[in-house]
Amino acid sequence: MAKIIVVTSGKGGVGKTTSSAAIGTGLALKGHKTVIIDFDIGLRNLDLIMGCERRVVYDFVNVINGEANLKQTLIKDKRTDNLFILPASQTRDKDALTKEGVERVLNELAKDFDFILCDSPAGIEAGAMMALYFADEAVVVTNPEVSSVRDSDRILGMLSSKSRRAENGQDAIKEHLLLTRYNPERVEKGEMLSVEDVKEILSIDLLGVIPESQAVLNASNSGQPVILDTDSDAGQAYLDTVERLLGEKVPFRFLTVEKKGLLKRIFGG
Ligand SMILES: Nc1ncnc2c1ncn2[C@@H]1O[C@H](COP(=O)(O)OP(=O)(O)OP(=O)(O)O)[C@@H](O)[C@H]1O
Ligand SMILES: [Mg+2]
């Protein structure tokens, strides 16, 4: 049985696509057959972050409209076995995703995949609602700032009222908090909310904390999910996150300011 996981946030630009690419790659690396679907109709970012934009022939909307089948449309990742991308359409028609169409595609994917990751567009309008509607679990991507936490709270409300699980009276969507762009130095200075603050406001399970990192920018510029940069702090934090998603107990890292050693303090660096 495939697990459908939506990566959502409410607020835009908090790191959903970055996280979808990293977590999807991580799940595939762990041996689970995984597909990442780009629900961001009109924008299409996932293929850029995954470095497969030149290989897009057909897209999600083509499959829904019956203009192409999944086999023709899914892009097999060249670096990671078990990993496939379903790219978004660049159509301007925001209503191109119908509930029936999305359900049919998800049902077909569910026969073949262990994990279906839905990279949601920002906001709480139709596109974001479609991305979360069929989810079994949700990764709520949040930055440690008030506006992001507020929008995550609104999305949590949607998850518990506007999803298929809610409408059918099934078990609730399992919600996970993923705190991204975390900067311990700024937290210490009181410029950002701390992990504890965010946990307390949203009161959902903490899945991961991804530090603010230059490695994310380098990775996205080179079209490679940051989780493959195993020397980087962000890459390691995403790996920990994937292991927690798979039920492993993994201690949290990168939560505090790295204390500089004596030599570093004297000589800089
Ligand atoms: N941990 C991080 N450290 C530094 N920069 C980051 C981090 N995570 C994401 N970013 C940067 O933040 C920007 C937004 O990231 P991303 O596109 O993943 O967000 P999004 O939530 O998918 O945005 P949208 O709502 O537009 O879909 C990108 O420039 C990305 O490189
Ligand atoms: Mg995005």
Side-chain angles (χ1 to χ4, degrees), residues 16-267:
K16 291 180 294 296
T17 303
T18 301
S19 299
S20 299
I23 294 172
T25 301
L27 289 168
L29 286 172
K30 293 274 180 188
H32 303 284
K33 197 167 175 192
T34 301
V35 55
I36 317 174
I37 307 179
D38 190 346
F39 272 79
D40 209 343
I41 301 301
L43 279 178
R44 211 155 96 180
N45 258 332
L46 180 68
D47 50 325
L48 285 174
I49 288 187
M50 294 298 298
C52 63
E53 70 277 9
R54 283 198 217 98
R55 297 169 61 212
V56 176
V57 181
Y58 295 112
D59 59 58
F60 196 9
V61 172
N62 291 137
V63 181
I64 286 182
N65 292 343
E67 293 149 2
N69 62 35
L70 272 175
K71 210 171 160 208
Q72 294 168 300
T73 309
L74 286 175
I75 301 176
K76 188 178 186 318
D77 192 86
K78 283 199 168 146
R79 291 166 295 238
T80 312
D81 277 344
N82 303 314
L83 183 60
F84 293 79
I85 314 300
L86 182 53
S89 162
Q90 281 183 320
T91 170
R92 265 181 242 145
D93 177 11
K94 293 275 175 196
D95 301 321
L97 296 183
T98 59
K99 216 176 240 182
E100 298 69 35
V102 171
E103 183 169 30
R104 187 166 46 76
V105 173
L106 290 176
N107 284 343
E108 204 176 325
L109 289 170
K111 290 183 206 153
D112 221 35
F113 285 89
D114 303 317
F115 286 99
I116 301 172
L117 225 57
C118 305
D119 178 19
S120 175
I124 51 166
E125 284 91 43
M129 290 302 113
M130 196 63 81
L132 69 77
Y133 185 74
F134 295 100
D136 300 307
E137 299 194 19
V139 173
V140 180
V141 180
T142 309
N143 292 164
E145 44 168 82
V146 173
S147 63
S148 173
V149 174
R150 192 194 303 126
D151 287 359
S152 290
D153 198 40
R154 294 179 74 187
I155 272 294
L156 288 171
M158 299 295 170
L159 288 167
S160 60
S161 63
K162 301 272 189 250
S163 61
R164 174 168 66 175
R165 283 176 169 271
E167 285 179 3
N168 294 350
Q170 290 168 283
D171 290 345
I173 292 178
K174 194 166 168 191
E175 300 157 342
H176 310 275
L177 171 63
L178 181 62
L179 205 52
T180 57
R181 311 200 68 162
Y182 197 70
N183 183 333
E185 242 159 59
R186 295 193 59 193
V187 173
E188 256 185 24
K189 287 189 199 150
E191 296 169 357
M192 276 188 161
L193 299 172
S194 69
V195 177
E196 293 311 318
D197 293 335
V198 181
K199 264 173 68 180
E200 198 178 309
I201 303 168
L202 295 178
S203 59
I204 56 173
D205 238 33
L206 183 63
L207 178 70
V209 180
I210 313 298
E212 171 79 23
S213 170
Q214 179 64 35
V216 172
L217 306 179
N218 299 345
S220 82
N221 285 337
S222 59
Q224 165 155 309
V226 69
I227 198 168
L228 294 176
D229 182 358
T230 50
D231 290 333
S232 71
D233 49 0
Q236 292 170 12
Y238 273 117
L239 214 53
D240 293 350
T241 299
V242 168
E243 290 176 348
R244 288 188 205 103
L245 193 59
L246 292 170
E248 293 171 39
K249 282 237 173 313
V250 183
F252 287 88
R253 298 190 265 178
F254 315 113
L255 301 189
T256 48
V257 180
E258 200 185 315
K259 294 276 181 292
K260 285 194 175 165
L262 183 62
L263 288 179
K264 270 196 185 161
R265 256 185 286 152
I266 295 171
F267 297 109

